[in-house]
Amino acid sequence: MALEVAKKSLKDPGVRMTRQRKILLDLIDQSGEHLDAERLFTLAQQKDPKLNRVTVCRTLKLLKAGGLVDELDLMHHKGDQHYYETRMKQEHAHVICLRCGRIEEFFGDPLQKMREQIEDHFGFQIVLARTEVGGYCSHCQVLRAQEMGNAAASSGRPGSRRTL
Ligand SMILES: [Zn+2]
Ligand SMILES: [Zn+2]
C-alpha cells in the first residue's frame, strides 16, 4: 500500500514534464508530417540536448493519454515504428504507399458519413476513428510493373528454365 502511494507521488505528471511536453507538441504540430519517435527524438534533441529517448517516449505517451496527439502505425509500412500527429487537425484518412512510404491525407465528407452510418447502425457513440488505406501510388505502380517485368525476364535463367 505504502509503495503504491509512493509510486503515485513519484509520477507527478504535470510539472516536471511541461518543458519536454511543449517541445514535442510544437514539433508534432509544426511539422505537418507524420514523425516517428526516433525522428522526434532527433529533432527534440536539437532543441534540448539533455533530452533522451526514454524521456521522449514517456512524453509522447503522456501527450497521447492527454488526447493531444494521435499515435498511428500507418500500416507498419516501415516496420514497427509508430507515428505521431496532432489532434488539432480535422479528421482525415491516411493513404499509404506500401512501396515508397508516401502518405497522403484524405479529408472529406465520406469520412463523416461513415461515422454517422456506424453510429446509426450499431447505436454506437464514436469517440475516435482512424482510417488507413494501403496500396501503391501512381509512381510505384509503374515501377512495380517494371520490376515484375524484370523478374519475369530474369526467371528465364538457365538453371530455372523448364524443359518443354
Ligand atoms: Zn509509392
Ligand atoms: Zn495525418
Side-chain angles (χ1 to χ4, degrees):
M1 276 297 161
L3 186 70
E4 275 314 300
V5 175
K7 266 190 194 161
K8 256 191 187 148
S9 63
L10 270 177
K11 272 186 188 166
D12 184 26
V15 197
R16 251 195 334 240
M17 300 293 276
T18 302
R19 194 175 133 67
Q20 290 97 306
R21 226 192 286 185
K22 190 169 170 3
I23 289 177
L24 282 166
L25 200 56
D26 284 350
L27 285 172
I28 294 169
D29 206 26
Q30 286 158 18
S31 84
E33 278 177 66
H34 306 87
L35 302 172
D36 65 22
E38 192 57 30
R39 260 294 269 138
L40 280 167
F41 164 63
T42 310
L43 293 170
Q45 233 191 3
Q46 288 165 10
K47 303 213 172 201
D48 181 353
K50 274 179 279 177
L51 282 176
N52 59 45
R53 273 191 184 78
V54 177
T55 317
V56 167
C57 285
R58 203 194 302 144
T59 308
L60 287 172
K61 270 200 188 115
L62 214 78
L63 290 171
K64 188 189 158 194
L68 293 168
V69 303
D70 257 340
E71 188 180 32
L72 314 162
D73 65 45
L74 298 178
M75 298 245 157
H76 287 295
H77 70 286
K78 278 186 190 154
D80 288 336
Q81 291 101 314
H82 284 186
Y83 303 83
Y84 298 86
E85 87 178 338
T86 172
R87 273 276 191 91
M88 313 298 155
K89 246 176 165 178
Q90 198 200 330
E91 188 181 335
H92 56 276
H94 290 109
V95 181
I96 302 131
C97 178
L98 301 171
R99 188 180 181 283
C100 69
R102 180 190 172 128
I103 296 153
E104 301 283 3
E105 293 186 326
F106 175 80
F107 295 83
D109 289 343
L111 290 174
Q112 195 53 45
K113 287 230 173 65
M114 187 174 75
R115 250 177 194 262
E116 285 162 16
Q117 283 175 6
I118 290 170
E119 291 192 327
D120 284 352
H121 189 83
F122 297 102
F124 197 76
Q125 185 191 12
I126 296 177
V127 175
L128 159 88
R130 212 167 273 157
T131 311
E132 292 190 349
V133 178
Y136 299 105
C137 72
S138 54
H139 182 65
C140 287
Q141 287 173 44
V142 175
L143 292 175
R144 268 173 57 83
Q146 283 168 4
E147 280 162 7
M148 284 195 278
N150 290 343
S154 68
S155 70
R157 280 174 290 131
S160 63
R161 180 171 289 165
R162 282 196 177 181
T163 43
L164 295 171

